[in-house]
């Protein structure tokens, strides 16, 4: 099992550009999450999904969109990149909310 | 609101000394509590979790945590710090929000181990 994979590992965007952060898990987990991590702020939940076709907002959803067309994939879309979106983004999955979350290696995004 | 408070964003200990990382939580449902560790430039990985089976929970790498309901605490300890324990540690709690259960993470505690 590859676990949770994320691409790309690093990306630099210009203000106003758009991009999609990819996340794939091969563990057949229903729950998937997108977090952003900023220094001294811990992890903030952006969006989550409880199964294919079901997504909902987390704490900091503004400027982001998600979709969940399959169990395996949970891409995160940035439509108009802003400097405030400079962060490290982590995707995670779990079979149940009371169970362990499995994290991907992260995507380091810089918006200039 | 459900929350997790980690006291001390940075903790320094000498190699071989006791490690104590503090976590207090609030939860309106029976809590599921987690400790995760993040090594530099990596994602988080589970150290241990409390699911009401036993109040003293043992995890990987010699870490353990004790659930104390009266104090709403779930502090992480290790008797003797090793250089490889230098990392950031996150406490997390399961809670209900908007009809779904989610996990909220604390802000993290960076552990420095001094030779």
């Amino acid at each position: 099992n590859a676990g949770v994979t994320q691409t790309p590992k690093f990306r630099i965007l210009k203000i106003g550009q758009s991009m999609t952060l990819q996340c794939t898990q091969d563990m057949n987990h229903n729950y998937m999450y997108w977090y952003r991590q900023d220094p001294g702020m811990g992890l903030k939940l952006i969006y989550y999904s409880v199964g294919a076709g079901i997504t909902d907002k987390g704490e900091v959803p503004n400027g982001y969109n998600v979709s969940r067309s399959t169990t395996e994939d949970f891409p995160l879309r940035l439509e108009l990149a802003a400097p405030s979106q400079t962060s490290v983004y982590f995707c995670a999955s779990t079979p149940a909310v009371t169970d362990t979350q499995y994290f991907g290696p992260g995507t380091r995004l810089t918006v200039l | 609101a459900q929350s997790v408070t980690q006291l001390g964003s940075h903790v320094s200990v000498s190699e071989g000394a006791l490690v104590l990382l503090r976590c207090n939580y609030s939860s309106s449902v029976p809590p599921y509590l987690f400790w995760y560790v993040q090594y530099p430039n990596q994602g988080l990985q589970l150290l241990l979790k409390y699911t009401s089976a036993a109040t003293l929970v043992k995890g990987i790498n010699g870490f353990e945590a004790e659930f104390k309901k009266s104090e709403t605490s779930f502090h992480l300890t290790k008797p003797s710090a090793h250089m490889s324990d230098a990392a950031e540690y996150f406490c997390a709690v399961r809670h209900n929000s908007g009809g779904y259960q989610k996990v909220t993470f604390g802000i993290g505690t960076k552990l420095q181990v001094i030779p």
Side-chain angles (χ1 to χ4, degrees):
Chain A
N1 283 353
V4 180
T5 57
Q6 291 182 240
T7 56
K9 285 196 167 85
F10 303 95
R11 184 73 185 268
I12 298 175
L13 282 182
K14 293 183 180 178
I15 294 172
Q17 287 185 318
S18 62
M19 76 165 294
T20 299
L21 281 65
Q22 301 291 347
C23 175
T24 300
Q25 53 94 5
D26 63 359
M27 297 172 282
N28 201 34
H29 289 168
N30 285 326
Y31 291 78
M32 294 188 75
Y33 306 88
W34 273 107
Y35 296 94
R36 58 178 288 171
Q37 183 179 31
D38 301 299
M41 302 294 290
L43 277 76
K44 299 293 185 187
L45 182 65
I46 305 172
Y47 270 96
Y48 66 99
S49 170
V50 300
I54 307 171
T55 63
D56 204 353
K57 297 176 181 178
E59 300 172 77
V60 290
N62 291 345
Y64 306 95
N65 276 301
V66 293
S67 59
R68 184 101 181 266
S69 57
T70 66
T71 299
E72 294 78 18
D73 300 306
F74 190 41
L76 178 71
R77 179 85 177 161
L78 282 72
E79 291 295 348
L80 291 170
S84 61
Q85 294 176 306
T86 294
S87 188
V88 181
Y89 292 84
F90 288 100
C91 179
S93 74
T94 181
V97 73
T98 55
D99 211 326
T100 305
Q101 289 194 28
Y102 295 86
F103 284 80
T107 294
R108 189 174 293 273
L109 175 67
T110 302
V111 182
L112 300 174
Chain B
Q2 321 308 320
S3 70
V4 175
T5 303
Q6 290 186 242
L7 295 175
S9 58
H10 290 80
V11 171
S12 293
V13 300
S14 298
E15 191 175 15
L18 172 72
V19 175
L20 170 61
L21 305 181
R22 299 177 186 274
C23 173
N24 289 88
Y25 70 92
S26 67
S27 176
S28 60
V29 298
Y32 281 72
L33 297 157
F34 308 83
W35 275 101
Y36 286 84
V37 60
Q38 184 181 31
Y39 297 104
N41 301 312
Q42 294 185 27
L44 280 70
Q45 57 185 281
L46 184 74
L47 266 182
L48 51 81
K49 62 182 177 182
Y50 167 76
T51 58
S52 78
T55 56
L56 184 62
V57 182
K58 293 189 184 298
I60 61 171
N61 301 336
F63 283 93
E64 61 183 36
E66 186 173 9
F67 172 69
K68 291 187 177 180
K69 186 176 179 181
S70 60
E71 298 177 8
T72 60
S73 68
F74 190 56
H75 301 331
L76 182 71
T77 60
K78 182 174 180 177
S80 177
H82 193 274
M83 295 300 295
S84 61
D85 295 327
E88 191 159 17
Y89 293 80
F90 293 90
C91 184
V93 62
R94 181 274 311 257
H95 63 94
N96 286 328
S97 178
Y100 294 108
Q101 295 185 3
K102 291 195 285 288
V103 173
T104 293
F105 288 82
I107 64 169
T109 298
K110 278 193 178 171
L111 177 66
Q112 180 186 21
V113 182
I114 303 166

